[in-house]
Amino acid sequence: MVTNQRTSRMALSPDTRKRLITAALVAPASAWLFVFLVLPFIAIVVFSFGERAPEGGYQAAFTFAQFANLGSRAAAFKNTLVLAPIGSFVCLLVAYPVAYYLAVKVSPQYRLLLVSLVVVPFWTSLLVRTYAWMYILGARGIPHLLEFVGIENVRLLNTPGAVLLGIVYGYLPLMIMPIYVSLEKLDRRLLEASADLGARPLSTFFGITLPLSLPGVMTGVALVTILLLGEYLIPQLLGGGKVFFIGNALVDLFLQSRNWPFGSAIAVTLVVVVVIVLLVAMRIAWRVAGARQVDLV
């Protein structure tokens, strides 16, 4: 018996043993994702083809009526698909100079301190920070100060602009960090060589710095955009029920209207949009990486 066990162990090749060890290490995480991610999504897909029960909830059926009714939530889709990309773009415009300054201009002895200040807002709940903006943009905040200079009847809260401001403030660190990491790895000798060859700073930026930092830019844009597609809190508080995102529509359908099939159809559509955004971002990143390799060759 002992001889058979030893023979079976010796029969396993090193590659097979590596695969078994890898499978054993990956199995707990895979099981976790399957139970808490895949199975709930399968349930949502099943619900999306059902009907609303008379008392609310889910009733078994097979119909595409929920997907055909997506147009009734066109405002939520429009606000999400317009404000989310705009918010990501504004975050990028603000984040890139900050990340460039931290990675290229600041001396190493102060860099860690300044990077820590970028992360500090995450130490406070987003809910508390959004409530602070509600006060700043509310009647007793900036509009009240504007009355002293003769500008009256200014409404900032419960507008798309307020939601956009909250988005930029809340998600800006998530845009800064990937760009900073990409710029921090930039070979400074390339910048020095460009300057020695007589290139102007602007030409160096568009010819070397920006192309080499595009992977970080794409990572930040994809990360912020995907999170914004499911955003609920900021539109709810700063939009005041007048600027709805898809996340707000889902909360309304699942918790108030109790129309689970229709909410599931919207959730499935949102997942499809997120997957499309990821695929587009990955395709652009691959093209950029391929172009960089060709340039280097």
Side-chain angles (χ1 to χ4, degrees), residues 171-182:
Y171 288 89
L172 186 59
L174 293 178
M175 184 70 74
I176 292 176
M177 296 311 299
I179 300 175
Y180 165 76
V181 172
S182 182

Side-chain angles (χ1 to χ4, degrees), residues 31-144:
W32 180 276
L33 291 175
F34 181 77
V35 172
F36 293 101
L37 181 63
V38 177
L39 288 182
F41 181 70
I42 293 174
I44 290 295
V45 172
V46 172
F47 285 178
S48 66
F49 292 101
E51 295 179 346
R52 183 182 185 275
E55 68 279 3
Y58 168 74
Q59 180 173 295
F62 185 76
T63 175
F64 291 93
Q66 310 302 333
F67 291 95
N69 196 29
L70 290 176
S72 63
R73 299 288 175 166
F77 278 98
K78 178 182 177 182
N79 290 334
T80 304
L81 298 179
V82 170
L83 290 179
I86 292 177
S88 298
F89 181 70
V90 176
C91 282
L92 176 61
L93 292 181
V94 178
Y96 199 99
V98 175
Y100 181 84
Y101 178 77
L102 292 176
V104 179
K105 298 298 183 180
V106 176
S107 60
Q109 58 181 343
Y110 298 110
R111 188 176 300 161
L112 180 60
L113 175 62
L114 295 179
V115 172
S116 301
L117 293 178
V118 173
V119 184
V120 161
F122 280 112
W123 298 357
T124 306
S125 170
L126 178 63
L127 178 63
V128 175
R129 289 182 280 136
T130 306
Y131 266 114
W133 276 109
M134 289 180 64
Y135 181 83
I136 294 172
L137 300 177
R140 293 181 293 177
I142 295 178
H144 183 66

